[in-house]
Amino acid sequence: MRLTQVPGVSVGLVRHGRLIWAKGFGVTNNDTKQPVTNQTIFEADSLSKPLFAFAVLRLVDQGKIDLDTPIVAYEGPDANLSDDPRFKQVTARMILSHSSGIVRDVSDPEHKVALAFNPGEKFQYSPTGYELLSHLIEKMIGMKIEDLIQQTVLTPLAMNSSSYVWQPAYDKLRIYQHDWAGRAVPERRKWTRGAACCSLQTNAEDYAKFVVAMLNGSLLKRTTWNEMLKPQIAVSAKFPQLYWGLGWGLEKTANGVAFWQWGDGGVTRNYISANVARKSAVIWFTNSENGLSFLREVLEDGDADGQQGALYLGYERYDSAPWMLRSQMMKEGAAVVLDAYRKKKLSGGNGISEGAMNQLGYDMLSLKRTDDAIAVLSENTEDYPQSWNAWDSLAEAYMDNGEKQRAIEDYRKSLDLNPANENGKAMLKKLEATEH
């Protein structure tokens, strides 16, 4: 945590179908230094989705919804959720397994959804699908989604610290988010309306109750529980062991099936991995953008069987080349570090990718270290001179530094390489207007 500037974590271990250890470490806020305890509340982000899926499956057990009936049957006479005729094929099973193809149509003034591919054809993570299904269920049963999950999951499992909406106790108990540099975000989002995709607030000890219920097959009919943990769709050809079930990612391991899910609120990151046969699990919540930078070590120390999910997500590791460069720049400045970086490349060493170097430049900009940012982004244009984006980013750094002419020159280079760069057009027009 010290190495990666992760201020606070909540971690739990499940063995043989029961929680054997849970503990909080660090602080809830780097400014106030309030300590994390076992009662501290974290943001679950997408770890909210499996609980929603579980609640849906409880409705399946009650005969209130069918997994394979097209959801248009539940829309109601006035609903018009999509203009795509393929939408009539979408089922709850497809939504829960992220194979519906549903995406938000940002151009539609009525906020309808579109389809990226034929329903059921392939995997594509879709929080929008979860939200759409939750709204339909609310209309069907006449109950807010937060109340449904409270009634079907949280209360039966005595998850008394967890909620999909803000609770008064959270004023003192809930963490603050922190960016990659360890800076606290001053405002906390206080959910007044439950979101199936992402509004759960909880901690490792409380979330473990749900994981234990999953491992022990509690609250669901056996056939329904089997469906939840049955591979529904392959995730990636690069990771053939990975599938998605209903609400959970699945991984085929030497010790049987593991289920997993991550949470990413931008500046909070979380993960859970559990092995069904061994009834073991690692539950990991953090209050930091860097929270998954040493996830593999957490899983290994926790004896987790599922590792491919962490590799599939591809979060930057604390020992990666870009991370090490950034750490060195924070201490020594970009000029010194880049000089050593260039010498290493000249002697046959590997450089970092265009995207990684670009992000490093923006990291420096976020700290108002403009000279460092310009040095980094200039290096990127030297390494990738045909990249319009590299020139666009360098132009932005010069603009932030008040060097208008240099910014104009580099925006023009970017547009020469990519005439469709709308941001470049807008920035260039703005800068040229101030020249007169």
Side-chain angles (χ1 to χ4, degrees):
M1 291 168 63
R2 284 191 296 270
L3 180 65
T4 60
Q5 299 192 63
V6 173
V9 307
S10 177
V11 58
L13 291 177
V14 173
R15 292 288 183 273
H16 307 296
R18 65 183 184 90
L19 179 68
I20 63 164
W21 179 78
K23 190 169 176 61
F25 294 90
V27 297
T28 65
N29 186 314
N30 258 344
D31 296 329
T32 67
K33 305 301 182 185
Q34 178 182 338
V36 171
T37 69
N38 281 22
Q39 287 71 50
T40 300
I41 300 299
F42 285 72
E43 297 179 54
D45 306 313
S46 282
L47 285 179
S48 308
K49 290 182 177 71
L51 272 81
F52 167 69
F54 194 89
V56 172
L57 292 177
R58 293 211 71 191
L59 294 178
V60 170
D61 279 349
Q62 296 166 17
K64 295 181 179 178
I65 188 172
D66 181 81
L67 285 173
D68 297 310
T69 297
I71 61 171
V72 292
Y74 305 115
E75 280 188 45
D78 299 325
N80 183 14
L81 302 177
S82 178
D83 293 329
D84 193 317
R86 297 175 297 176
F87 185 75
K88 295 178 181 178
Q89 304 169 31
V90 172
T91 65
R93 183 188 299 275
M94 294 173 185
I95 290 175
L96 296 180
S97 62
H98 295 288
S99 61
S100 68
I102 289 175
V103 293
R104 180 68 62 193
D105 186 353
V106 294
S107 65
D108 190 288
E110 298 179 22
H111 306 293
K112 295 178 183 179
V113 298
L115 295 182
F117 50 83
N118 294 328
E121 183 176 80
K122 60 182 179 179
F123 174 86
Q124 181 174 298
Y125 199 68
S126 176
T128 301
Y130 270 62
E131 284 303 288
L132 182 146
L133 181 59
S134 72
H135 296 324
L136 286 179
I137 287 175
E138 285 182 327
K139 292 178 181 178
M140 285 169 52
I141 65 175
M143 182 185 294
K144 292 180 180 178
I145 205 67
E146 60 266 30
D147 295 331
L148 170 67
I149 298 174
Q150 183 72 48
Q151 183 184 99
T152 58
V153 187
L154 302 181
T155 296
L157 297 179
M159 295 176 66
N160 301 322
S161 298
S162 303
S163 175
Y164 275 69
V165 292
W166 186 268
Q167 300 297 319
Y170 294 170
D171 285 326
K172 294 182 178 179
L173 292 176
R174 213 190 78 177
I175 55 91
Y176 286 76
Q177 300 174 324
H178 294 79
D179 70 7
W180 66 271
R183 295 171 294 185
V185 177
E187 297 298 323
R188 294 180 293 184
R189 181 168 185 176
K190 297 186 176 182
W191 295 89
T192 58
R193 184 79 169 80
C197 67
C198 44
S199 71
L200 176 65
Q201 294 147 99
T202 186
N203 54 38
E205 187 169 352
D206 226 35
Y207 200 89
K209 297 173 184 177
F210 173 57
V211 174
V212 166
M214 280 296 312
L215 291 171
N216 292 326
S218 304
L219 300 181
L220 290 178
K221 293 179 180 178
R222 190 67 183 183
T223 53
T224 310
W225 180 84
N226 285 336
E227 284 295 315
M228 192 173 194
L229 296 178
K230 184 176 79 174
Q232 306 285 332
I233 194 81
V235 169
S236 166
K238 185 178 179 181
F239 296 94
Q241 305 97 320
L242 297 185
Y243 296 82
W244 216 268
L246 300 179
W248 289 109
L250 304 176
E251 179 180 343
K252 293 181 178 180
T253 78
N255 293 307
V257 173
F259 60 84
W260 61 278
Q261 171 73 52
W262 82 103
D264 187 339
V267 277
T268 51
R269 288 180 177 166
N270 321 300
Y271 199 86
I272 180 267
S273 178
N275 183 277
V276 178
R278 296 170 63 175
K279 293 189 176 182
S280 63
V282 180
I283 301 151
W284 181 250
F285 290 96
T286 82
N287 62 353
S288 170
E289 183 177 354
N290 300 339
L292 299 183
S293 63
F294 54 105
L295 174 61
R296 297 214 308 261
E297 284 77 1
V298 172
L299 296 177
E300 288 165 5
D301 286 348
D303 195 30
D305 292 305
Q307 298 285 335
Q308 294 300 302
L311 293 174
Y312 165 75
L313 294 174
Y315 283 100
E316 193 74 63
R317 280 181 52 79
Y318 74 96
D319 56 359
S320 68
W323 191 293
M324 299 300 290
L325 272 179
R326 187 176 67 183
S327 298
Q328 292 167 356
M329 283 183 192
M330 295 290 288
K331 297 174 185 176
E332 304 173 41
V336 172
V337 173
L338 289 173
D339 183 57
Y341 173 77
R342 284 188 287 269
K343 289 177 181 177
K344 182 179 179 181
K345 284 201 304 175
L346 288 171
S347 62
N350 294 325
I352 66 174
S353 70
E354 176 195 342
M357 188 67 83
N358 201 64
Q359 182 59 54
L360 184 54
Y362 277 104
D363 287 343
M364 295 299 106
L365 275 180
S366 75
L367 294 177
K368 309 298 183 186
R369 295 174 61 156
T370 314
D371 288 344
D372 283 339
I374 289 172
V376 170
L377 295 170
S378 294
E379 177 68 28
N380 217 20
T381 60
E382 292 176 21
D383 290 345
Y384 302 95
Q386 297 305 308
S387 168
W388 67 269
N389 190 56
W391 289 105
D392 184 276
S393 299
L394 179 57
E396 183 178 339
Y398 277 127
M399 185 173 67
D400 285 359
N401 205 39
E403 298 182 61
K404 292 182 182 178
Q405 193 55 46
R406 293 295 298 271
I408 288 171
E409 291 172 7
D410 289 343
Y411 274 128
R412 285 175 177 164
K413 289 178 183 176
S414 174
L415 285 166
D416 286 343
L417 292 165
N418 178 18
N421 175 11
E422 295 300 329
N423 175 72
K425 291 178 186 177
M427 292 300 101
L428 186 59
K429 183 178 180 180
K430 178 180 177 181
L431 286 166
E432 289 177 335
T434 62
E435 289 285 293
H436 304 293

